[in-house]
């Protein structure tokens, strides 16, 4: 049997994160050294994980079924039901990888106006995050139809304004600089 998982990212934007954070975390937790693979013609960096132990952990404990996840990924129930701290840590990781911070400097605002923005193509993940985050923040959510850049519907969550961004930093924060 073949036990394989891949973590992919942008060859430039995600390189440091995948190599220095994810790869090192896998080594620390499992003693498994992961070497990155670069596909320059696709602008992708891959971490290929060949480990029965890690594969079965994700499959059995976290209910990740083998195959492509991007449209159906969701936060495992074990994490959802394990308390705020675990959920906040999971959200931090999600926003670190698929989120961004935007400062709007238009003249309509007296001072620069901050937004934290998250995008996913997974409808189940979007609704999980929306339901949880609505308990702490006023959210702006948006469903974008496919366009010339993407063949998929994308789901967006925005946390906006100085007070809400400060609250996000207190409760969840970022792991990235």
């Amino acid at each position: 049997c073949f036990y394989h998982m891949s973590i992919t990212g942008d060859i430039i934007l995600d390189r440091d994160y995948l190599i220095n954070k994810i790869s090192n975390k896998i080594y620390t937790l499992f003693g498994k050294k992961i070497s990155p693979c670069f596909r320059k013609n696709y602008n992708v960096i891959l971490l290929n994980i060949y480990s029965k132990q890690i594969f079965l952990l994700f499959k059995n404990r976290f209910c990740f079924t083998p195959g492509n996840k991007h449209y159906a990924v969701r936060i495992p129930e074990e994490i959802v039901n394990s308390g705020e701290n675990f959920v906040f840590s999971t959200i931090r990781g999600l926003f670190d990888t698929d989120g961004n911070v935007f400062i709007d400097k238009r003249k309509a605002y007296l001072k620069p106006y901050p937004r934290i923005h998250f995008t996913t193509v997974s409808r189940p993940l979007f609704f999980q995050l929306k339901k949880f985050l609505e308990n702490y923040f006023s959210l702006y959510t948006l469903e974008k139809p496919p366009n010339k850049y993407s063949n998929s519907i994308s789901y967006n969550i925005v946390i906006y304004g100085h007070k809400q961004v400060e609250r996000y930093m207190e409760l969840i924060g970022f792991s990235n600089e």
Side-chain angles (χ1 to χ4, degrees):
C1 196
F2 191 60
Y3 299 98
H4 172 246
M5 291 174 37
S6 289
I7 301 171
T8 62
D10 183 277
I11 200 166
I12 296 168
L13 300 174
D14 298 323
R15 180 184 184 128
D16 181 62
Y17 184 79
L18 288 175
I19 293 172
N20 295 321
K21 300 251 179 165
I22 302 299
S23 181
N24 288 343
K25 184 63 76 177
I26 291 168
Y27 182 75
T28 300
L29 292 173
F30 301 100
K32 190 85 174 156
K33 186 149 175 67
I34 308 297
S35 297
C37 174
F38 301 96
R39 290 194 179 162
K40 293 181 179 162
N41 53 333
Y42 293 104
N43 197 32
V44 169
I45 179 174
L46 287 146
L47 295 182
N48 288 310
I49 305 163
Y50 299 95
S51 166
K52 181 177 180 179
Q53 176 190 15
I54 297 171
F55 181 91
L56 292 177
L57 173 75
F58 278 84
K59 180 181 177 288
N60 297 336
R61 183 170 177 182
F62 297 119
C63 302
F64 278 49
T65 54
N68 227 334
K69 305 280 165 291
H70 55 279
Y71 294 112
V73 72
R74 56 184 304 117
I75 301 170
E77 289 304 312
E78 180 178 348
I79 293 172
V80 170
N81 297 328
S82 60
E84 274 184 350
N85 288 338
F86 286 105
V87 178
F88 285 155
S89 294
T90 301
I91 291 171
R92 181 182 317 116
L94 290 168
F95 275 67
D96 283 348
T97 56
D98 291 323
N100 66 64
V101 176
F102 175 74
I103 307 295
D104 192 338
K105 296 181 180 180
R106 289 182 290 172
K107 292 178 183 177
Y109 300 107
L110 295 175
K111 56 184 179 177
Y113 191 77
R115 291 185 183 96
I116 300 171
H117 187 258
F118 177 79
T119 302
T120 183
V121 294
S122 170
R123 185 177 169 90
L125 179 61
F126 169 75
F127 282 107
Q128 274 185 311
L129 286 172
K130 181 180 176 197
K131 181 180 177 185
F132 185 81
L133 290 170
E134 283 176 332
N135 294 317
Y136 303 92
F137 306 99
S138 295
L139 303 175
Y140 173 74
T141 59
L142 178 65
E143 185 177 317
K144 290 184 180 177
N147 57 46
K148 68 180 182 178
Y149 302 108
S150 172
N151 295 330
S152 305
I153 295 171
S154 66
Y155 302 92
N156 300 269
I157 295 174
V158 182
I159 297 169
Y160 54 91
H162 295 280
K163 288 183 181 177
Q164 291 209 115
V165 169
E166 286 173 15
R167 181 158 170 78
Y168 179 91
M169 295 305 295
E170 289 170 15
L171 294 175
I172 300 168
F174 295 104
S175 296
N176 295 335
E177 297 174 13

